[in-house]
Amino acid sequence: MKHAQTTATVLRCALTALGAALLCVGGGNAASAASGPAATAVTVQSTPNGDSDQLVRGRYLAHAADCAACHTAENGAPFAGGVALASPFGTLYGTNITPDKEHGIGKWTADDFYKALHDGIGPDGPLYPAMPYTSYRQLTRADTDAIYAYLMSVRPAAVANHPNDLRFPYNMRFGVRFWNMLFLKDALPDASHGKSDEWLRGRYLVNALGHCAECHTARGSLGQLDSANPLAGGVLGRVNAPDITPAGLAARGWTADDLQAFLATGIAKQGSAFGEMYPVIHLSTQYMTSDDVHDMAVYLLGEQAPAPQSLPAPPADNAQLQTGHKLYIATCAGCHGMSGEGKPHVAVATLGNSTVRQKDPHNLLVAILNGIPAQDFPGNESMQRMPGFAKTLSDDEIAQLANYLRARNGQPADVAATTVHALRQQQ
C-alpha cells in the first residue's frame, strides 16, 4: 500500500525500563528543515565550551545520533524535552538537554555527559535505558565531547521536565543498576562481516551513533537485546521494525545504492519511509554525508553483499486471488497504478515493495487498516495521504487484498481474517 515501509535502518530508540522493551514515539512531522548533507555546514559561533569546528562537528553528530527524536517535542523548543515515551509500564518523557541550569544540563560537565552516554549514569543517578546508552556506550570520547559542546551552544530553554509516570516497581531507578550489571556490554554483536575502513565506519554509525539495534533487534525476557539475532527485526508499537540483516534486506530486493537513496531521501524503488522511520529520515539521516550513508549501507549488507532477490513470475490466474485483485482495482489502483507500478508524488509501487515482501504481513496490514499521513521528503518528493480502510473493508476483504499483494510479491497468500481482526482490535 502507499508508503509501504522499507527498511527502518536507523529507526529510532526502542526503550527498556528495568528490562522491558519500550517504544520511543517521536513527533511524526516534527522536523523537515534543510534537505541534505549540506544542511550540516551551518555557521556556529565559538563558545567557551568548544571552537567553531568542534561545534559544527557536534551538530553533525547530534543529527547522526538522532538526539532530537526524544528531546524535541513537536512545536517545542529544540532539545527542551517533553516527548512522551509510551510503554507498557507507564510513560517516560524526554528530558531537557539544553544548557538551562535549572531544568537542562547547564550544570553538567563534559565528564558528566560522557558518563551518561557511556554508563547510563547522570549526576543525579542512573538513567532509564529509554536513553539508548546500551548503544551510545561505543561512542568515542572525542565524539561525546563534540556533542556536548554543541548542546552547550544552543539556546537555553527554561522548560521544566515532565515527571515520568511509571508504575511500581518500575519507578524505582536504583533497579536500573542491577539491569546494567547484567546487560550493559562494551560492544554489540555484528549482523554482517567485513574489515574495510568503510565497513568499520558503517559499524560505528549503525551500532553506536544510529543505535539501530535498539529498534531492529528483538528483546529477551528481561528486555535485553537478543545478541544471537542482531538487527533481525523487533516488535515495537503499531509498526514493527523489520529485519535489516544482509539476508533480510536481500530477500526484499535491497541493494547498497537503494539503501543509500533511502537513508538520504526516505524514498527508494522499494518504497518510502513511514511510521517511526519517517522522522528518522527527517531528523537524522538526511543530514548525513554521502560517504557516511554509503558506509552505513556497506555495514548493513556486509562487504560481500548477498545478491538481491528478484521477484518471481506473477501467479497464474487463481480463483483464490480474484477477489483480492478486484479489491485492489477498486481501492488501490487509482494511486498505486493498475499493475502496482506506483505514481511519482502520489504513491509508491506495491510491486517490489519492501513491506509487502516481508514474511510477516503485520506492517502491510497496519498500513491498510490505519493508512499513512501525507508526507514530504527531502528535495521535491512527496507522497499523498493514504486513507485507512478499517471502516470500509471487512476483515475478510483486507485479508484477501493483502493476500493478492503478497502473492504478486513472492509471499504466501496465508493472511487470515482472524489476523486482521486481532490487529483491528489493537487500534
Side-chain angles (χ1 to χ4, degrees):
M1 303 312 296
K2 182 176 178 182
H3 298 300
Q5 185 181 20
T6 63
T7 176
T9 165
V10 239
L11 191 17
R12 282 269 204 188
C13 350
L15 310 173
T16 312
L18 293 180
L22 314 179
L23 172 64
C24 170
V25 179
N29 294 316
S32 56
S35 59
T40 63
V42 296
T43 300
V44 183
Q45 298 300 316
S46 178
T47 75
N49 293 309
D51 60 33
S52 59
D53 288 344
Q54 185 188 41
L55 298 183
V56 170
R57 181 162 167 265
R59 183 180 190 270
Y60 179 83
L61 293 169
H63 278 308
D66 205 12
C67 300
C70 292
H71 295 283
T72 300
E74 189 170 6
N75 300 320
F79 304 113
V83 178
L85 312 175
S87 84
F89 312 98
T91 303
L92 296 94
Y93 292 87
T95 56
N96 185 331
I97 56 172
T98 73
D100 185 78
K101 293 185 181 298
E102 180 179 359
H103 304 294
I105 60 173
K107 294 181 180 180
W108 287 31
T109 66
D111 287 341
D112 293 332
F113 189 75
Y114 176 75
K115 190 173 180 63
L117 270 62
H118 188 263
D119 300 322
I121 305 295
D124 298 323
L127 306 176
Y128 283 110
M131 200 280 284
Y133 57 83
T134 45
S135 293
Y136 288 161
R137 185 176 180 83
Q138 302 167 88
L139 295 177
T140 66
R141 178 60 191 260
D143 280 357
T144 65
D145 283 353
I147 296 172
Y148 170 79
Y150 167 65
L151 291 175
M152 289 297 126
S153 76
V154 304
R155 184 184 299 276
V159 177
N161 287 306
H162 196 296
N164 294 324
D165 183 19
L166 296 175
R167 299 193 305 275
F168 180 83
Y170 308 108
N171 59 349
M172 309 297 287
R173 281 183 183 264
F174 68 85
V176 178
R177 292 184 183 271
F178 299 102
W179 190 91
N180 289 342
M181 291 171 61
L182 291 172
F183 303 120
L184 184 57
K185 307 297 182 183
D186 289 335
L188 299 179
D190 293 312
S192 69
H193 300 286
K195 295 181 180 179
S196 68
D197 290 342
E198 291 86 356
W199 186 88
L200 292 171
R201 173 63 176 170
R203 169 205 263 175
Y204 184 75
L205 293 165
V206 170
N207 282 359
L209 275 168
H211 56 278
C212 304
E214 304 290 340
C215 287
H216 289 275
T217 299
R219 302 274 175 169
S221 59
L222 295 178
Q224 74 277 19
L225 292 171
D226 179 5
S227 60
N229 296 287
L231 303 185
V235 176
L236 296 176
R238 188 66 171 164
V239 177
N240 289 340
D243 180 342
I244 55 171
T245 62
L249 291 169
R252 303 196 303 279
W254 285 97
T255 67
D257 288 345
D258 295 331
L259 281 177
Q260 292 175 61
F262 176 75
L263 292 170
T265 68
I267 294 181
K269 66 182 181 182
Q270 291 83 357
S272 61
F274 79 107
E276 287 303 302
M277 194 61 198
Y278 177 73
V280 171
I281 301 297
H282 280 269
L283 297 171
S284 180
T285 58
Q286 70 154 315
Y287 297 104
M288 299 177 71
T289 65
S290 57
D291 284 345
D292 276 350
V293 169
H294 168 270
D295 293 348
M296 290 178 72
V298 170
Y299 176 76
L300 288 169
L301 286 170
E303 286 184 354
Q304 302 298 323
Q309 293 184 18
S310 57
L311 285 174
D317 188 20
N318 187 324
Q320 180 186 3
L321 302 178
Q322 286 181 2
T323 299
H325 183 207
K326 292 177 181 178
L327 286 166
Y328 177 84
I329 297 299
T331 60
C332 309
C335 291
H336 293 284
M338 292 295 290
S339 299
E341 69 274 16
K343 295 182 180 180
H345 312 299
V346 177
V348 298
T350 60
L351 189 62
N353 187 280
S354 186
T355 291
V356 185
R357 295 182 73 177
Q358 286 179 336
K359 292 181 180 179
D360 185 348
H362 176 98
N363 287 348
L364 171 61
L365 295 176
V366 167
I368 297 173
L369 283 165
N370 298 125
I372 300 169
Q375 296 176 328
D376 295 321
F377 292 95
N380 297 319
E381 187 57 272
S382 62
M383 291 291 156
Q384 294 182 7
R385 169 182 171 270
M386 172 183 165
F389 295 97
K391 294 183 178 179
T392 56
L393 296 180
S394 68
D395 294 337
D396 186 63
E397 288 173 326
I398 291 177
Q400 293 186 76
L401 173 59
N403 283 330
Y404 167 74
L405 292 168
R406 282 168 60 81
R408 294 197 71 219
N409 283 275
Q411 293 300 320
D414 57 0
V415 177
T418 53
T419 302
V420 179
H421 182 75
L423 277 176
R424 189 194 296 272
Q425 297 302 112
Q426 294 172 13
Q427 294 188 85

